[in-house]
Amino acid sequence: MRIYILCDDSSLGDFEHEHGFSALVDSVLFDTGKSSVFLKNAERFGVNLPEDVVISHGHYDHVGGLLLLTGKRLWIRKKALKPKYSGDRYIGAPFEWEEVLSKNETRFVSEKVVEIKPGVFLMGPANLRNRVFSGEFLVGKERKIDLFEDEQTLVVDSKGGLIIVTGCSHRGIDNIVLDAVETFKKKIHLVLGGFHLLRSSEREIEDIVELFNKIDVKTVAPCHCTGKKAVDIFKERFKGNLLECRAGVTFEVSN
């Protein structure tokens, strides 16, 4: 199985980048960044986009490219369609949802775990455990604190263990990996994507790395909203493999 990073905040060589995330995970497109960057980089890779498209959550930097897709099967949670804000700034979809839903087949996901292809699952939203939200992100016309009940994670059950692909991990990358282990009863081979640790303290990040070591995560490939501080702490303390993750990178995984 091959994973192509189509969009990230940084890139290799001639590949384009922007604030956003998109990855082609075997036969599933996971998120679309905020513009056409994911399409341009797919063309540079020489790959065609598959029928199945998964949206991790409803922020603009993950859904923006949807407007450019037609005839796809869209896997999304209904709450991703609600208006999203960061303080007073609107950060939801930069289009009317009907424009996207009308030209694609939409599968609204409501189950905690659903298998969308053999061995390929959507999981979420993650159990919050002791996580408390600061109120930075808001949702709906009432602008309530966003608990990211629209957030979902892609999990692939591979020979070497679970492959977890995250968009932003707003409900906690620690909660996501714990849910995966508890749900699938298997070791984690790879955790890839945005870990959302930009504003986390060193102690909070160290606790997450300690958890990853404790449950024996083999490999991490953090990008997008993870932050340099968190990547540096993973480099220093994580006992497994740390891989570079940016637009233009590919990963080979035995499935």
Side-chain angles (χ1 to χ4, degrees):
M1 182 181 74
R2 184 171 289 179
I3 301 172
Y4 299 86
I5 306 302
L6 301 182
C7 178
D8 182 50
D9 296 49
S10 63
S11 60
L12 294 178
D14 294 332
F15 286 87
E16 295 191 23
H17 64 271
E18 66 179 2
H19 176 63
F21 184 69
S22 177
L24 176 57
V25 184
D26 197 28
S27 58
V28 175
L29 177 65
F30 184 82
D31 284 346
T32 64
K34 68 177 182 180
S35 71
S36 62
V37 164
F38 79 109
L39 287 176
K40 293 174 182 176
N41 286 339
E43 186 175 349
R44 283 181 173 83
F45 274 126
V47 295
N48 296 318
L49 297 184
E51 182 179 21
D52 289 292
V53 179
V54 169
I55 293 300
S56 65
H57 64 296
H59 280 171
Y60 73 102
D61 51 326
H62 296 260
V63 306
L66 280 177
L67 200 56
L68 304 171
L69 300 179
T70 302
K72 303 298 185 184
R73 184 185 297 115
L74 180 61
W75 301 85
I76 189 170
R77 292 181 180 266
K78 274 192 177 180
K79 290 186 177 181
L81 279 58
K82 289 188 173 186
K84 300 266 193 174
Y85 302 89
S86 176
D88 292 329
R89 184 168 67 99
Y90 177 75
I91 57 171
F95 48 72
E96 294 296 328
W97 274 105
E98 187 55 34
E99 293 181 76
V100 167
L101 303 184
S102 64
K103 57 184 183 177
N104 296 281
E105 176 189 351
T106 305
R107 301 283 181 91
F108 285 116
V109 180
S110 58
E111 303 92 336
K112 180 73 174 179
V113 179
V114 60
E115 189 171 19
I116 64 172
K117 286 175 171 290
V120 180
F121 301 84
L122 298 182
M123 181 186 73
N127 290 314
L128 287 176
R129 296 176 175 85
N130 296 321
R131 187 173 183 81
V132 177
F133 287 92
S134 66
E136 173 191 358
F137 295 108
L138 307 172
V139 64
K141 293 178 182 178
E142 308 85 357
R143 303 203 183 188
K144 295 180 178 178
I145 292 176
D146 195 348
L147 301 180
F148 292 95
E149 293 172 325
D150 57 328
E151 189 171 69
Q152 55 187 357
T153 300
L154 189 71
V155 181
V156 182
D157 188 0
S158 76
K159 270 183 196 174
L162 301 177
I163 297 164
I164 297 173
V165 183
T166 68
C168 266
S169 309
H170 285 287
R171 287 175 73 96
I173 189 62
D174 48 352
N175 290 327
I176 289 170
V177 298
L178 284 171
D179 275 9
V181 170
E182 291 170 7
T183 300
F184 295 95
K185 313 296 184 190
K186 293 191 174 182
K187 294 283 190 180
I188 297 174
H189 175 66
L190 170 66
V191 184
L192 179 155
F195 293 3
H196 204 72
L197 300 174
L198 269 169
R199 298 186 181 180
S200 299
S201 68
E202 287 190 14
R203 180 68 260 176
E204 287 169 330
I205 298 167
E206 288 168 356
D207 286 347
I208 287 170
V209 176
E210 186 177 332
L211 170 66
F212 276 42
N213 289 334
K214 182 179 178 180
I215 63 175
D216 196 25
V217 174
K218 298 298 183 189
T219 306
V220 296
C223 57
H224 182 41
C225 56
T226 304
K228 183 180 183 301
K229 176 173 65 177
V231 172
D232 287 344
I233 292 173
F234 266 93
K235 284 179 181 176
E236 180 185 342
R237 293 177 173 267
F238 181 55
K239 294 178 181 178
N241 300 313
L242 176 68
L243 302 180
E244 178 185 49
C245 184
R246 59 180 66 187
V249 169
T250 60
F251 300 96
E252 293 278 355
V253 182
S254 298
N255 59 344

